[in-house]
Amino acid sequence: MRKGVRLVWVAALAGTALVPAVAHAQISPGGQPGQGAPASSPTPPQDASPDPAVADEKPIIPDAEFEAQMPQVTGDLDAPLAPLPENTAPVAADASSKAVAEHIEALAPVPEQEPELAAPLPPLSAFDVTAQPTDAAETDDKTVVIRYTTLLQGLDELGLDDEFRGLSALEKGKGKAANAAMVAARAREDERLALRLLQSLGYYDATALSSVEQYPKGSLDLRAVISTTPGPLYKLGSVTVVTPSGTPQGVVERELPLFIGDPIEATRVQGAEANVSLKLPQQGYPFVEVGQRDILLDPDTRKGDYTLPVETGPFSRFGWFTVSGRRRAFGSDHVGSLVRFKRGEVYDSRKVDDLREALIATSLFSNVSVEPVRTGIIAPDGAEYVDLRVRQDAGRQRTIAATAGYSTGQGLRLEGSWTHRNLFPPEGALILTGVAGTREQGATATFRRSNAGRRDRTVQIGVAADHNNYEAFDAYTGSLSARVSFDSTPIWQKRWTWFYGAELVGTNEDRYNYNKGARDRGTWLILAAPGFLGYDRSDNLLNPTRGYRAKLNISPETSVRGAARPYVRTMIEGTAYYPVSDSIVIAGRARFGSIQGIARDDLPPSRRYYAGGGGSVRGFGYQELGPRSPDGKPVGGRGLSEFAIEARYRFGDYGIVPFIDAGQVTDRMWPSLEGIRVGAGIGGRFYTNFGPIRVDFATPINRKPGESKLALYISIGQAF
């Protein structure tokens, strides 16, 4: 028979230490295991000879004589007791009774009590139970404090020193205790802690000793010493996985990264078992259950035989969906439009998690869960179809939001919105938006259908009325638009994004009429078919720290004012982000725009390109760069070029960003670097869970008369 110690794993130290527990049984002589002494002594034999001393004593009073001396009890149990006769003749007593009576008569008389003690106690309500105030400072001054230091020996060589100090009772005491006994108690607790830490690494023969001594000698200070000896390291001698019959060979073993010769280390073993629980549901086993491990340690060979039972459950394929819940936002058909798998595919828990996150991203639920359910329906290959049960509890459908920003030239801008996210189920939202600002006022009503027919596709129809009063133009605009898009969100950042749509715009604007040499107003009707294609390899939507992005906007348009004039507006933009260190990111941007097929003066001013402002070239006012009319106002252009570079330094939730921007607008059809202007500045960032709040200050380089001396920009999100 093999000699060994069976190791029962006990989770300790937040699940990191695995400790062997050994059960002991105490067997008393003549008893059973675990019992103490017998409950009673043996009964003496019945024929034992009587004690002569007992035989000489007087017999007990006969019952008849005892009953004769008792008072008579009447039939009425509630009647009062009759008084004893005053001149009752003394009862005949034997010699022993007379001796007792003489002893009682010899006792000293009871002294009279003090009047205060004889007085009745006052009622409880008369007591004052209010705690009397004490001088806390005086009490603290009289409290004796023992100071001590801690010396740890033997754990640093195994890399356990920091972990020990993070859990140590001595360290938590911060070198102070009320008395020496408390220091000793903490040291004994840390002794057990050190032993558990050593065993968690596979040193099951380890020893740990604690002691408390005066240090320095002759002083009142103490030193607690924890001394450890790890002993030999135990390693795996065999690894056995027990699975139900019919389970494919190696399906569990290849996901259990434990090998013969590995140390029996707690984190290694637990991590390997967690890997089984994680990987098997990704390979068609949603109901896998990892059982309780068993390890038999051999103290002679310093090896352990590891055995792990695993219930894999049936191999499964995706079935369909069921929906439950008191308040449902939508049914199983719409759930089917969100999934990234088809019926009959091998079950993969990652795709189930993907569906759960897509449901959360709709913002329609206060609580939602997705779990597999067995159906008992067998597929042709012997696998079982598994349905997904979606438990949903719809949350509040309405949201009120507001944003505010400020920039030089554009002024103050306040925007508020009201959204009903599921007014037209499924996921049909109505959004009402209002803008109030020093330069812009407007209102918009939008219908938006999210996940329209397929995952992540959005259909949007909107109607808007705006008034924009900028230095470059003053415009009253009404528009009707429709768009189909595939967009990124803070939850789902996609590599490819796009949209296409149509716009019908009517606008009345003022402009500088070069033919008349004066400003006049005109009305234009514009029909546009805008399109966008984006490619994103950055690591974050609102605050990227590495990667790059590329964007292309193309909008074929027709401007009608007396005659139809078709043209094409094009914009290309690229941004890149490079981390110099963990706290510094270099970010750069280049943007080029072109309008082809129409003269500048035939375009409505609001459809031209402008440069300058917080989202363009900082240091200059909004739309301030580029050609100007004879009255000194910007007129915009057909060619645009912009550049920017930032050094984003972050410390905690704050950041400092020095930057340089450059750009220019020309009347030419193609972008040009001729006459390019440069602005420089510094900004501050406050990072929140929804993105950074940005405050930038900038000034133009080689400032010209009439240009801003200092520009201020406040908004949410990075500049690019």
Side-chain angles (χ1 to χ4, degrees), residues 244-248 251 280-281 283-289 310-318 346-347 372-379 382-386:
S245 60
T247 303
V251 68
L280 259 64
Q283 302 172 21
Y285 295 93
F287 306 106
V288 62
E289 294 183 3
V310 178
E311 291 290 336
T312 59
F315 181 72
S316 305
R317 296 183 178 274
F318 283 115
V346 175
Y347 183 95
V373 179
R374 296 186 62 175
T375 63
I377 303 175
I378 305 301
E384 182 176 340
Y385 286 112
V386 171

Side-chain angles (χ1 to χ4, degrees), residues 409-571:
Q410 198 171 4
L412 181 66
R413 187 179 188 276
L414 303 175
E415 180 177 339
S417 65
W418 175 88
T419 303
H420 194 307
R421 290 187 297 276
N422 205 32
L423 183 60
F424 309 100
E427 295 193 71
L430 177 63
I431 307 168
L432 302 178
T433 304
V435 177
T438 55
R439 296 286 187 175
E440 180 182 355
Q441 306 85 39
T444 304
T446 303
F447 167 78
R448 183 185 66 203
R449 173 81 70 185
S450 301
N451 298 307
R454 58 161 291 186
R455 172 83 168 265
D456 301 326
R457 181 168 61 189
T458 302
V459 175
Q460 185 170 295
I461 300 173
V463 58
D466 297 287
H467 174 225
N468 297 283
N469 180 20
Y470 298 114
E471 186 179 8
F473 60 86
D474 181 84
Y476 294 89
T477 304
S479 64
L480 177 65
S481 62
R483 174 181 294 185
V484 178
S485 63
F486 185 79
D487 303 317
S488 282
T489 68
I491 297 178
W492 293 106
Q493 184 178 354
K494 302 172 182 64
R495 181 168 297 183
W496 289 99
T497 56
W498 48 261
F499 74 75
Y500 61 87
E503 288 182 326
L504 179 62
V505 181
T507 180
N508 179 271
E509 305 178 12
D510 78 323
R511 63 167 184 171
Y512 187 85
N513 191 328
Y514 284 86
N515 295 327
K516 296 180 179 179
R519 303 194 74 86
D520 63 6
R521 298 193 68 89
T523 300
W524 287 265
L525 181 64
I526 300 169
L527 180 63
F532 167 81
L533 180 64
Y535 184 70
D536 190 348
R537 293 303 302 270
S538 65
D539 62 342
N540 188 275
L541 188 64
L542 295 177
N543 184 36
T545 59
R546 66 176 64 247
Y548 61 91
R549 298 171 181 171
K551 301 177 183 179
L552 172 64
N553 289 80
I554 298 178
S555 180
E557 301 180 4
T558 297
S559 173
V560 180
R561 188 185 183 197
R565 295 179 174 86
Y567 58 94
V568 177
R569 302 174 80 242
T570 305
M571 180 81 72

Side-chain angles (χ1 to χ4, degrees), residues 165 167 570:
R165 295 188 184 279
L167 300 170
T570 305

Side-chain angles (χ1 to χ4, degrees), residues 145-222:
V145 176
I146 300 296
R147 298 186 180 276
Y148 64 89
T149 57
T150 303
L151 176 61
L152 185 61
Q153 298 176 341
L155 291 183
D156 54 342
E157 299 175 358
L158 300 175
L160 293 174
D161 188 75
D162 291 340
E163 187 173 357
F164 174 88
R165 295 188 184 279
L167 300 170
S168 166
L170 289 167
E171 294 292 335
K172 290 179 181 178
K174 298 181 179 180
K176 297 180 181 179
N179 47 57
M182 183 177 293
V183 178
R186 293 174 183 174
R188 289 192 297 272
E189 183 176 345
D190 280 3
E191 175 186 313
R192 295 188 291 269
L193 169 64
L195 190 61
R196 293 198 301 271
L197 288 174
L198 289 168
Q199 292 175 345
S200 72
L201 293 184
Y203 297 95
Y204 295 101
D205 291 339
T207 59
L209 297 174
S210 64
S211 61
V212 178
E213 59 188 15
Q214 285 185 331
Y215 186 82
K217 292 184 178 181
S219 69
L220 297 179
D221 295 338
L222 302 177

Side-chain angles (χ1 to χ4, degrees), residues 306-330:
Y306 174 89
T307 304
L308 181 69
V310 178
E311 291 290 336
T312 59
F315 181 72
S316 305
R317 296 183 178 274
F318 283 115
W320 198 235
F321 313 96
T322 60
V323 178
S324 63
R326 294 179 302 168
R327 295 180 298 169
R328 304 178 188 178
F330 43 74

